[in-house]
Amino acid sequence: PAALPGAFTGNLNGSDRPRLAFDGKAGETFVAEIELKRLSGAADPVLELKTEDGTPIEIAWGRSQRGGDSRLVADLPRDGRYVLELHDLAYQ
């Protein structure tokens, strides 16, 4: 589990799906933004927020106003553990 707020770095290769787990409370607004394309990365980033059991809550694809990067904003529906997942749109 990650402590939030925070900033995280790493590499995204091929079909990688790095995940970040965190605890949230009902009604909190969660915001995540990736800087990949703006740092000359080749992937098309997708951010997915899910419950711990994998139920999707929100998904964000790259947008031109962010240079092709993704920004996800979601109101958390309940207290519990959540998982933020990053992957390349084409898994390449």
Side-chain angles (χ1 to χ4, degrees):
L4 299 179
F8 306 91
T9 63
N11 295 314
L12 182 64
N13 297 307
S15 61
D16 286 354
R17 297 177 74 123
R19 293 175 178 92
L20 176 77
F22 65 95
D23 294 321
K25 298 205 177 288
E28 287 182 328
T29 299
F30 175 78
V31 179
E33 186 166 337
I34 181 119
E35 291 184 356
L36 187 146
K37 299 293 263 185
R38 291 174 282 184
L39 296 174
S40 302
D44 289 320
V46 177
L47 291 170
E48 292 188 55
L49 180 63
K50 303 174 182 182
T51 61
E52 187 174 34
D53 65 3
T55 303
I57 295 171
E58 189 69 45
I59 188 166
W61 291 271
R63 300 281 184 233
S64 60
Q65 60 268 55
R66 286 186 187 77
D69 286 331
S70 304
R71 183 172 196 259
L72 183 143
V73 179
D75 291 326
L76 302 180
R78 59 179 172 82
D79 292 358
R81 178 141 312 157
Y82 292 88
V83 177
L84 179 68
E85 182 177 283
L86 168 66
H87 65 84
D88 177 23
L89 182 64
Y91 296 99
Q92 295 182 12

